[in-house]
Amino acid sequence: MSAMMPPDTGPAGAVAVDEPAASTPPSAMKSLRRFLAKPSGALSISMLLVFLVTGLLGPLLVDRPGGLGSEILRSPSVAHWFGTDDLGQDVFAQVVWGTRVSLTVAVAASAIAIVIGTALGLLGAYSRRADAWVTTVTDLMLSLPLLPLMIMVTALVGPSVTTLTFVIGLFSWPEVTRLIRSNGLVVVSMPYIDGARALGATGWRIVTREVLPAVVPLIVVSVLLTAARAVISEAGLSFLGLGDPDSWSWGRIILNAQRSGVISTAWWQTLFPSLAILLLVLSATVAGVRFNDSRDPRLKDR
Amino acid sequence: MAEFIARRAMRAILTIWIAVTVTFFLLRLLPGDPTLLVVEGDMTPEMQQALREQYGLDKPMLTQYWLYLTELARGNLGTSFRQLQPVTDIIVSRLPWTALLAGSAFVLTIVLGIPLGVYAAAHRGKRVDRVVQMFGITGHALFVPSIGILLLVVAGSWLGWFPIGGAIDPDTRGADAYVSLLHHLALPLLSLVVVQLGPYALTLRTNMLEVLGEDYIKSARGRGLSPQRTLWRHALRNAFLPALTLMGLQLGTLVGGAVLTETVFAYPGVGRLIYEAVGQLDYPLLQGAFIMLAITVVVANLITDVISMLLNPRIRA
């Protein structure tokens, strides 16, 4: 019944990524230059760097928010750039400290999802027997409501940065598998793979030496898109009260505003963490899409 | 046709079984006492003993698994730690609200998304197209609670156009009750649709561009049909079914979004229930909520597939 739909059209939740260009990869410098050639590339990378520096150095420069302050629910001012919350804590400091947690979870969870997703995707692409299983499990995972599943597991294990990282990582690989598998299939059907097989190369060798390098650009794209989704998942779980109680996170700042019933008055307490989420996820997504486009010779003049 | 439905229904049952099985073993292999999943200190000793026996907590894990499946098949999802009532009853009383919210979002996203995607594809490279593309990329970066709070603060608190919480005014009767229902639904629904719509329209645009490149479209144009007529009569007809299927694949995400919106708007569905259960560490309720939502999503997906099949002349015959 989906005869008219291309078989690998991802769900609308996945950013559409074109088939990889099957030409020889351009050199690193050249790709970087092409990547930065459009403002979207340069802008998204700069924004990611700003977040990275904030996450690394921010907590060294800004005091850790905590305790009770005397200035309660102040709107943004020179002393408190992002205002203060109902405990008199500085929202700017909370956002800065939250950056570190968001980035840590995003990078680590994305790494977990990429390793599992790539391994399963390559397995499905190469081995026809394993493919039925890989596809079934992937489709199954993608069809389930994953947020309630993550909530249940996190609540049981006990919320911490480590728990969040593993839970998000272990439930985020299906999108990666789908992407790597569908493009791995294209690579596997190419004549040079038959050539390698004719020369007596083992399956392991073909997958790791021939197929894997061909999908590396897609893995880079996946890292960015998976990390972007991980930021949203982390914020969602923290917003539902499943964040690490000992560290700040953007979702937790918004939850605090909701719990203390000040979302209608203290707009700064929800606006700034929301903007942080939006900008970080948007720049990671745009960077991923831009990277993909910059490698595609068909899009050279765009 | 009957065979198709039977095959799809089998797959739906298989999906639910796997989801339940994974849940069972995942939760029991994790660090922590598995009895914590079923029995809790607030319960009376008799109640605890009854549950221990019902779920065979002193028996081997496979026996427990079998007992768990048997109870589940009878519609028993355990007893809530805090409300001390059957989990199934609690969730069933909340599920209609989530179904209303997510179902409306499903329909509205399709109704708005298809024209948007088709229009963007037909005006490729024009300003409309670029706006849809931008909206599509931005949609991935929108955090549901942020959008919810924005709408709640601006349209609810500041402008006072919409109520800021709940699902219905209990004092209303008859037609007024329906108005109140829609009035309360508007903002939670809108926050879900805003997040879903962009990426959905963008994917449809891509699919539509492929359809527009096909021979029968070119031949329709060649026969002298106007571009408008070709687009809306021929191309759209072939884009609709994949669009429906595509939205069906989004149901899981949609339900996840509903959990977050309901929390923002204190909307009395399963999502809000989950939020409350997290605060109270009510594990049977969390587990039951996931299973019930998973079943709902799988069944809704099955219905979507059957509808597309009934609408598809190639299979219907």
Side-chain angles (χ1 to χ4, degrees):
Chain A
M1 36 133 296
S2 56
M4 285 149 300
M5 195 168 62
D8 290 315
T9 302
V15 175
V17 174
D18 293 327
E19 296 289 317
S23 61
T24 46
S27 74
M29 270 316 287
K30 227 170 151 187
S31 344
L32 186 66
R33 212 172 305 136
R34 279 184 68 185
F35 180 89
L36 297 174
K38 286 201 59 168
S40 63
L43 212 62
S44 58
I45 282 294
S46 317
M47 191 55 85
L48 286 178
L49 284 176
V50 169
F51 276 105
L52 198 64
V53 170
T54 309
L56 287 174
L57 303 180
L60 304 176
L61 306 171
V62 181
D63 286 337
R64 188 191 165 93
L68 293 169
S70 51
E71 296 176 88
I72 288 167
L73 292 174
R74 294 293 166 84
S75 54
S77 64
V78 179
H80 301 287
W81 292 355
F82 292 178
T84 61
D85 71 1
D86 63 319
L87 298 176
Q89 294 180 5
D90 187 53
V91 176
F92 177 71
Q94 295 175 348
V95 172
V96 167
W97 279 76
T99 307
R100 178 174 280 190
V101 172
S102 283
L103 287 178
T104 310
V105 173
V107 171
S110 166
I112 295 173
I114 292 294
V115 170
I116 303 176
T118 306
L120 286 177
L122 290 177
L123 182 71
Y126 184 75
S127 156
R128 192 153 295 180
R129 202 179 316 161
D131 193 32
W133 283 98
V134 169
T135 320
T136 309
V137 174
T138 307
D139 286 352
L140 182 92
M141 289 283 287
L142 286 172
S143 70
L144 289 177
L146 286 182
L147 186 67
L149 185 60
M150 292 198 229
I151 293 169
M152 180 179 71
V153 175
T154 314
L156 191 75
V157 181
S160 72
V161 172
T162 321
T163 312
L164 288 178
T165 304
F166 275 96
V167 167
I168 295 172
L170 292 176
F171 289 127
S172 300
W173 55 262
E175 278 101 345
V176 184
T177 304
R178 185 194 278 269
L179 187 67
I180 299 295
R181 176 189 163 273
S182 67
N183 291 283
L185 281 174
V186 177
V187 178
V188 167
S189 67
M190 286 189 181
Y192 76 96
I193 299 294
D194 287 336
R197 208 174 284 138
L199 288 172
T202 59
W204 173 255
R205 195 187 154 88
I206 292 175
V207 168
T208 54
R209 294 288 183 80
E210 310 291 349
V211 187
L212 182 61
V215 296
V216 160
L218 273 177
I219 297 180
V220 176
V221 177
S222 291
V223 167
L224 286 162
L225 300 184
T226 311
R229 275 198 312 273
V231 172
I232 294 270
S233 302
E234 190 275 335
L237 289 169
S238 301
F239 172 71
L240 292 168
L242 290 160
D244 190 329
D246 298 323
S247 45
W248 281 96
S249 104
W250 296 335
R252 181 178 159 197
I253 305 172
I254 302 176
L255 171 66
N256 283 349
Q258 160 121 351
R259 274 193 181 148
S260 49
V262 297
I263 44 175
S264 296
T265 45
W267 50 267
W268 52 87
Q269 204 183 331
T270 49
L271 178 69
F272 292 108
S274 294
L275 282 179
I277 297 170
L278 177 69
L279 287 176
L280 177 57
V281 178
L282 190 60
S283 40
T285 311
V286 170
V289 172
R290 179 71 202 123
F291 178 82
N292 195 56
D293 289 353
S294 71
R295 295 189 40 85
D296 190 341
R298 286 172 298 176
L299 299 174
K300 203 174 251 171
D301 49 336
R302 276 207 230 155
Chain B
M1 184 174 121
E3 192 198 320
F4 172 85
I5 296 180
R7 215 173 38 223
R8 266 311 270 111
M10 273 308 291
R11 206 168 84 201
I13 292 168
L14 189 71
T15 306
I16 293 167
W17 173 69
I18 293 179
V20 166
T21 305
V22 168
T23 308
F24 178 88
F25 287 104
L26 188 68
L27 294 184
R28 274 148 193 85
L29 293 175
L30 287 171
D33 182 3
T35 50
L36 274 180
L37 290 168
V38 181
V39 186
E40 211 271 342
D42 275 9
M43 298 172 170
T44 61
E46 295 81 41
M47 208 169 186
Q48 292 191 23
Q49 191 51 38
L51 281 167
R52 272 176 208 284
E53 281 171 19
Q54 194 171 34
Y55 286 94
L57 291 182
D58 48 350
K59 306 234 172 63
M61 201 180 286
L62 278 179
T63 318
Q64 288 188 37
Y65 172 62
W66 177 246
L67 288 169
Y68 178 79
L69 279 189
T70 325
E71 291 298 325
L72 200 64
R74 290 166 49 192
N76 183 357
L77 285 165
T79 304
S80 158
F81 284 173
R82 302 291 168 238
Q83 308 189 32
L84 301 179
Q85 284 172 34
V87 166
T88 315
D89 295 357
I90 301 174
I91 295 175
V92 165
S93 72
R94 300 282 203 110
L95 201 57
W97 294 114
T98 304
L100 175 69
L101 179 59
S104 317
F106 183 91
V107 174
L108 197 58
T109 308
I110 291 183
V111 167
L112 296 176
I114 290 182
L116 208 58
V118 172
Y119 196 78
H123 296 80
R124 187 179 187 172
K126 303 267 175 59
R127 182 173 296 169
V128 192
D129 186 30
R130 283 207 300 274
V131 169
V132 167
Q133 287 189 46
M134 209 186 292
F135 190 34
I137 299 279
T138 315
H140 293 283
L142 296 180
F143 183 46
V144 177
S146 297
I147 301 298
I149 288 171
L150 181 73
L151 290 171
L152 187 149
V153 170
V154 175
S157 299
W158 291 356
L159 298 172
W161 290 348
F162 294 96
I164 56 168
I168 194 164
D169 184 347
D171 297 331
T172 50
R173 291 285 170 273
D176 284 355
Y178 284 102
V179 173
S180 169
L181 186 89
L182 291 176
H183 206 196
H184 283 81
L185 182 66
L187 292 184
L189 172 62
L190 198 58
S191 30
L192 270 183
V193 173
V194 165
V195 173
Q196 293 274 326
L197 186 59
Y200 183 66
L202 186 58
T203 314
L204 290 188
R205 168 195 173 272
T206 314
N207 289 358
M208 196 69 194
L209 283 177
E210 278 170 30
V211 172
L212 288 177
E214 293 201 17
D215 288 344
Y216 70 91
I217 296 291
K218 289 178 190 154
S219 89
R221 290 282 292 119
R223 289 204 311 273
L225 251 69
S226 76
Q228 289 298 318
R229 202 177 160 84
T230 317
L231 182 70
W232 296 104
R233 279 313 224 13
H234 285 66
L236 180 62
R237 184 178 278 185
N238 282 284
F240 178 72
L241 289 182
L244 188 63
T245 314
L246 188 66
M247 200 56 211
L249 294 173
Q250 281 297 94
L251 277 165
T253 319
L254 198 58
V255 165
V259 172
L260 294 167
T261 353
E262 285 179 9
T263 304
V264 172
F265 289 96
Y267 201 78
V270 181
R272 180 73 185 188
L273 185 69
I274 288 179
Y275 172 70
E276 291 156 7
V278 164
Q280 301 167 331
L281 295 178
D282 197 336
Y283 300 125
L285 199 50
L286 286 177
Q287 186 182 309
F290 164 67
I291 291 174
M292 291 289 272
L293 288 177
I295 293 176
T296 311
V297 166
V298 169
V299 170
N301 219 332
L302 176 66
I303 295 173
T304 314
D305 276 3
V306 172
I307 290 178
S308 350
M309 192 208 63
L310 292 176
L311 292 175
N312 190 341
R314 290 190 205 175
I315 298 180
R316 196 174 47 204

